[in-house]
Amino acid sequence: MLPSIGVIALFVSTVLGQAYSTNSTNGYVLKKGPLDTPWTEKVGTNPWPEYPRPQMARSDWKNLNGVWQYRNATGGAAELDNPPFRQDLENPVLVPFCLESALSGVMGNWTIHSWYRTTFDVPSSWTDRVLLNFGAVDYEATVFVNEQQVAHNVGGYWSFNTDITDHLNKNSTNELVVFVFDPTNLAGNNIPLGKQKLIPEHIFYTPCSGIWQTVWLESAPAASIDKLDISAGADGKVDVTVHTTSNATGTADFIIHEPNSDRIKVQTKVPVNQAHSFVVESPELWSPDSPTLYNITVKMGSDTVQSYTGFRTISKGVVNGVQRPLLNGEFVFMFGTLDQGYWPDGLHSPPSLEAMVYDLKALKEVGYNMLRKHIKVEPALFYQAADQLGLMLIQDMPALATSWVYLDDTPKKCPPVSLTPSLDPDTVQEEFNRQLEVLVNQLKSYPSIVTWVIYNEGWGQPWEGYDGVHNTSIDAILTDLVRKIDPTRLIDSVTGWHDHGAGDFHDNHHYSSPQCGTPWYSLDSSPYNPETDNRIAIQGEFGGIGQNISEEHAWKVENSINHVNNTYELDATQEIWNVRAHIIFQELKFQIQEYACSGAVWTQTTDVEGEVNGMLTYDRRVNRMDKEQWKADIQALYDTAAKRGSSNSTMKLPAREEVVV
């Protein structure tokens, strides 16, 4: 039986704490967008009530999601000099949904500069410090509490928090005001933005501006736990760093519970603010077939947080003469979908936890053991769901804009370096590098993540030598950077195109047929030679076959409909779509059997706007897959891979000399 989703989050929200909103629903109306989902009408005005940070959950918390006030800041950045304190803003907005979405109640366009406002009370029982948390705000957020600036964050995918205790009116209502700047692809800006575009077209979608993940308060002591880095290997070794809000010394109690139990498996003390390791005897391992997780309690002084981990080791090694990805020392063929994570009603924001998990369960049902999270970062509860369901994740860094994406009056030809000519490439690269570090540090404790992707298809990637002197590619520089932050995972430096030989993967994109680890290749790829390339061969994208759908399930935007015929291949009926998928599967199976293919990514989980090549339609109401056929075809890939690697199917894990706790 699969573990239930959101166990930790649900426990915290319903037993330990209280998830509620103090905001009025004055004037909020759900907009009628181009398409909805079965969950759209169920959202209501208190969305996402679950505790949002399952790997560091506190008991005393308060959800600030709900109806806030909104104003389009037509005066631009100059309005920061005169914030709208103590005044009502004209429009209601439902947080946490993108301003461009129907669920936000705004469904705006060109929301470059925006004001948000709400009020809140602090529970009288809270006697410690009060922290204000944001799951994510796209793109640049300036936060005020009671007319005082308390935080500033740059980056549309990253969580941040701030201690607001000294700015509170503890015995009366408090005012929270947020100013957001989101240029998306406006000329003169080049930011990590993934697939967003101010004027969407085919593979570029409606942007997401503003607050799009949960906002919440929590109570914590002055000396408190600020972050947990936890990695647990298949050999039982646990690497942990307990970060605190100050440069504290001393220790924290670290308790690992038995799976699905409050019983203690290991209890030890770990020093705070420094890396520490210990070994757990004979842990049950995490894998797609058995996604065992261990709940964790960490106590430091009067602060207690709940977390979890899974014991697994990701590595690579030669199996039967071929370089392979190894999970817990064994070759596991990685097969998943390109997962965009877009929703017709909420855009970047799923309408609910149930809706978000629905996609993952649909993939797991037919046998996918992996998905590639494509140039987007999800809410923390998404990663917990993948951990619990047993889905390996290939996590992309959100891409910079491609050279042809900039919104400008003058079309630009592709420059030698895929950065806008109007910006300093070094400045753009420096910010990309900074946010890449944030990505890895923010997500590196989730067991399901097995691989980091730095660049997708050359989007924002300098094509040639980076320093001009040593001809060192930026791919290699950033691969070393990521490896230093997280040495426990594999790195796909460049997925598709402009491969400079860095990282752990030789990654080819080809539609519709695969070219996975083969000696034949096409434009923007190269043949794979296992004798000279010691990397893993993977098909980073393939498939992409589409099937047009009725108006009922279509994204009802003329420009998107007009781009449907740009799909790599369109099949006349759902039945033919399944036939074509079966044929493509046979090609991939042959390449696994005869060559060096170790993994593949089918495009894609769902339709998105004008793309109609999903397992599911964009509204999630139609599942195109003949489930029994897909189960059989996917299992055949695993069986073929196992047979190919059977002469050396088990690799010995390195011995550890640490003392067992």
Side-chain angles (χ1 to χ4, degrees):
M1 177 182 293
L2 292 174
S4 60
I5 295 300
V7 172
I8 295 175
L10 184 60
F11 174 70
V12 172
S13 65
T14 59
V15 178
L16 295 177
Q18 195 168 21
Y20 58 90
S21 170
T22 62
N23 300 304
S24 147
T25 60
N26 290 342
Y28 170 76
V29 176
L30 170 67
K31 296 285 188 180
K32 182 172 178 56
L35 188 65
D36 66 3
T37 72
W39 301 274
T40 307
E41 297 284 347
K42 300 177 183 179
V43 170
T45 54
N46 290 293
W48 284 91
E50 300 83 8
Y51 186 86
R53 193 184 56 203
Q55 285 200 323
M56 206 181 85
R58 283 198 172 90
S59 58
D60 292 328
W61 75 290
K62 180 175 181 176
N63 197 329
L64 296 186
N65 292 345
V67 180
W68 292 28
Q69 298 173 355
Y70 161 76
R71 172 188 295 166
N72 189 351
T74 55
E79 291 200 18
L80 263 174
D81 295 332
N82 187 27
F85 298 141
R86 290 181 292 173
Q87 57 184 279
D88 286 333
L89 307 185
E90 299 85 340
N91 305 293
V93 59
L94 185 63
V95 170
F97 294 105
C98 309
L99 290 171
E100 294 85 349
S101 73
L103 277 169
S104 73
V106 175
M107 210 160 74
N109 191 21
W110 291 75
T111 51
I112 308 298
H113 297 89
S114 304
W115 286 108
Y116 286 82
R117 179 180 179 270
T118 191
T119 58
F120 64 90
D121 298 322
V122 176
S124 59
S125 60
W126 289 8
T127 58
D128 289 327
R129 309 296 291 180
V130 177
L131 307 179
L132 173 62
N133 299 270
F134 289 83
V137 182
D138 197 349
Y139 170 74
E140 182 176 349
T142 306
V143 183
F144 303 87
V145 171
N146 295 328
E147 304 183 30
Q148 301 169 79
Q149 183 175 328
V150 296
H152 179 258
N153 186 73
V154 176
Y157 301 91
W158 322 123
S159 61
F160 63 98
N161 65 13
T162 184
D163 185 334
I164 61 172
T165 313
D166 296 337
H167 307 287
L168 292 174
N169 303 317
K170 287 213 168 181
N171 298 318
S172 62
T173 298
N174 298 275
E175 181 184 54
L176 171 59
V177 174
V178 182
F179 183 76
V180 179
F181 169 56
D182 184 16
T184 310
N185 61 308
L186 195 66
N189 298 273
N190 192 0
I191 63 174
L193 81 175
K195 286 290 195 80
Q196 302 179 68
K197 193 173 181 184
L198 284 167
I199 301 178
E201 56 173 309
H202 197 46
I203 67 168
F204 298 105
Y205 317 133
T206 305
C208 172
S209 300
I211 300 169
W212 67 278
Q213 291 186 29
T214 292
V215 185
W216 77 100
L217 302 174
E218 61 187 3
S219 177
S224 60
I225 299 166
D226 186 52
K227 185 175 182 288
L228 293 174
D229 293 333
I230 303 172
S231 176
D235 57 0
K237 183 187 177 190
V238 179
D239 296 311
V240 58
T241 303
V242 178
H243 303 268
T244 69
T245 52
S246 61
N247 293 321
T249 58
T251 61
D253 292 322
F254 196 90
I255 302 166
I256 300 178
H257 303 275
E258 296 283 2
N260 303 311
S261 171
D262 291 333
R263 289 183 293 114
I264 294 175
K265 182 174 182 65
V266 169
Q267 182 168 358
T268 187
K269 291 187 179 293
V270 301
V272 300
N273 293 312
Q274 60 180 281
H276 180 72
S277 300
F278 60 92
V279 171
V280 173
E281 186 86 38
S282 304
E284 296 181 38
L285 302 188
W286 184 96
S287 72
D289 293 333
S290 181
T292 303
L293 298 174
Y294 288 78
N295 287 341
I296 293 171
T297 302
V298 184
K299 299 179 180 179
M300 187 191 73
S302 59
D303 194 19
T304 299
V305 298
Q306 305 296 328
S307 190
Y308 71 91
T309 194
F311 288 83
R312 89 290 177 271
T313 295
I314 312 301
S315 59
K316 65 179 180 179
V318 176
V319 179
N320 199 16
V322 179
Q323 191 72 250
R324 300 294 195 184
L326 306 178
L327 175 63
N328 303 329
E330 296 186 354
F331 168 37
V332 174
F333 186 84
M334 300 165 62
F335 189 64
T337 61
L338 194 75
D339 195 83
Q340 310 264 21
Y342 273 76
W343 296 82
D345 44 13
L347 301 177
H348 272 193
S349 316
S352 66
L353 177 62
E354 177 189 6
M356 184 176 71
V357 172
Y358 176 85
D359 283 4
L360 302 184
K361 287 183 174 179
L363 300 179
K364 188 74 178 181
E365 182 183 14
V366 296
Y368 284 109
N369 65 10
M370 174 269 284
L371 62 84
R372 177 184 164 205
K373 178 45 61 181
H374 188 40
I375 51 180
K376 184 193 177 211
V377 177
E378 294 289 355
L381 291 172
F382 173 91
Y383 298 95
Q384 183 193 35
D387 292 338
Q388 292 176 328
L389 286 169
L391 280 165
M392 295 182 289
L393 299 180
I394 296 175
Q395 175 65 55
D396 290 11
M397 171 64 189
L400 295 166
T402 63
S403 57
W404 60 86
V405 168
Y406 298 105
L407 190 61
D408 199 329
D409 294 333
T410 57
K412 296 181 177 69
K413 294 182 179 180
C414 203
V417 173
S418 186
L419 299 172
T420 175
S422 62
L423 294 178
D424 172 32
D426 289 337
T427 301
V428 172
Q429 189 67 55
E430 182 180 350
E431 180 61 17
F432 179 86
N433 298 358
R434 182 191 73 82
Q435 294 195 34
L436 175 64
E437 291 188 55
V438 175
L439 167 78
V440 178
N441 279 314
Q442 181 170 303
L443 301 182
K444 66 182 180 181
S445 292
Y446 292 104
S448 53
I449 298 177
V450 298
T451 297
W452 304 110
V453 172
I454 298 173
Y455 284 114
N456 173 72
E457 293 188 351
W459 296 11
Q461 174 199 11
W463 297 359
E464 303 300 335
Y466 182 59
D467 57 20
V469 178
H470 303 294
N471 198 34
T472 303
S473 74
I474 187 62
D475 318 346
I477 293 171
L478 294 185
T479 298
D480 290 343
L481 173 68
V482 172
R483 192 94 67 194
K484 183 177 180 180
I485 300 171
D486 178 17
T488 71
R489 290 181 175 86
L490 302 176
I491 301 173
D492 192 346
S493 303
V494 181
T495 175
W497 310 4
H498 313 312
D499 181 7
H500 297 125
D504 299 308
F505 292 89
H506 176 283
D507 186 342
N508 175 33
H509 292 184
H510 191 257
Y511 291 98
S512 297
S513 299
Q515 295 179 346
C516 185
T518 64
W520 63 85
Y521 63 102
S522 56
L523 180 66
D524 296 315
S525 67
S526 59
Y528 181 77
N529 185 342
E531 295 182 0
T532 58
D533 196 332
N534 64 353
R535 298 178 300 165
I536 300 161
I538 190 172
Q539 185 73 52
E541 295 179 23
F542 81 116
I545 57 174
Q547 182 255 325
N548 215 336
I549 33 86
S550 65
E551 182 180 351
E552 177 186 2
H553 305 292
W555 181 248
K556 299 171 189 64
V557 173
E558 183 179 2
N559 190 45
S560 294
I561 293 171
N562 291 341
H563 280 92
V564 165
N565 283 334
N566 288 353
T567 305
Y568 298 104
E569 171 185 310
L570 280 170
D571 301 320
T573 65
Q574 190 170 323
E575 291 71 24
I576 294 300
W577 181 87
N578 278 286
V579 169
R580 285 289 296 130
H582 177 69
I583 293 169
I584 294 170
F585 270 118
Q586 300 311 302
E587 293 187 60
L588 182 63
K589 186 174 76 168
F590 174 80
Q591 293 171 19
I592 298 168
Q593 176 181 304
E594 300 297 330
Y595 299 107
C597 185
S598 292
V601 179
W602 183 281
T603 305
Q604 59 185 329
T605 303
T606 73
D607 296 350
V608 185
E609 299 193 3
E611 295 187 18
V612 291
N613 54 359
M615 311 287 100
L616 311 173
T617 54
Y618 197 20
D619 62 0
R620 274 70 170 178
R621 289 187 171 95
V622 176
N623 186 328
R624 290 189 175 95
M625 292 182 287
D626 178 329
K627 293 180 184 178
E628 293 308 311
Q629 174 197 306
W630 280 74
K631 287 179 184 178
D633 282 339
I634 292 173
Q635 186 59 49
L637 302 181
Y638 299 147
D639 292 344
T640 302
K643 184 177 180 180
R644 175 69 192 270
S646 61
S647 66
N648 188 17
S649 60
T650 302
M651 306 292 289
K652 295 292 185 182
L653 291 167
R656 297 284 190 178
E657 297 180 358
E658 289 81 357
V659 176
V660 176
V661 176

